[in-house]
Amino acid sequence: MKRRRKRTAKKIDQRTKIVLFFVLVFVIAMSVSYAGLYQKSRAVAREEQQVEADIEDAKDEKEKLEEKKEYVKTKEFVEKIATEKFGLLYPGEYLLKGDEEK
């Protein structure tokens, strides 16, 4: 009977080693997988921050364009463009230009 117990004990020991080996392989595989997912998650978070910053920039630009749109509708803008681009003046107005440096 002693021999049977030793053989049974060895078989259990060997089975335990095999199970532990597979558990260890599984844990290592999961760790590698987790590390990859963690890196991807960080990359996505950085990209999300960049997109949010781009959205804020776009909102600022939109506000500036809205202000310019309102300014373009003013009489002041029309007069400025008429004078600068087309040389138009009100009657009795004179346009004085200085010497341009070369």
Side-chain angles (χ1 to χ4, degrees):
M1 279 226 194
K2 253 185 173 179
R3 277 187 152 174
R4 281 190 167 175
R5 285 186 183 175
K6 283 185 179 180
R7 285 184 184 171
T8 308
K10 284 184 180 180
K11 285 182 181 179
I12 292 173
D13 227 9
Q14 190 176 11
R15 287 180 187 165
T16 305
K17 287 179 183 178
I18 291 172
V19 169
L20 286 175
F21 173 75
F22 283 113
V23 168
L24 182 63
V25 168
F26 177 75
V27 168
I28 290 173
M30 293 304 290
S31 297
V32 169
S33 177
Y34 176 77
L37 289 174
Y38 180 73
Q39 288 177 348
K40 285 181 183 179
S41 173
R42 291 192 57 157
V44 168
R46 283 191 299 268
E47 186 177 339
E48 181 182 7
Q49 288 177 344
Q50 181 63 40
V51 168
E52 287 175 1
D54 291 345
I55 289 171
E56 288 299 318
D57 291 344
K59 285 180 181 178
D60 291 342
E61 186 176 345
K62 180 183 175 186
E63 287 179 22
K64 288 178 185 176
L65 289 173
E66 289 291 333
E67 289 173 4
K68 187 172 183 179
K69 180 180 173 183
E70 292 301 317
Y71 173 66
V72 167
K73 293 178 183 178
T74 64
K75 185 177 179 181
E76 178 185 343
F77 174 77
V78 173
E79 290 175 351
K80 180 181 175 186
I81 294 299
T83 303
E84 289 178 0
K85 299 244 179 187
F86 304 113
L88 299 176
L89 300 171
Y90 284 112
E93 252 188 343
Y94 299 100
L95 182 62
L96 301 176
K97 291 186 178 182
D99 290 335
E100 293 183 17
E101 293 183 30
K102 294 181 181 179

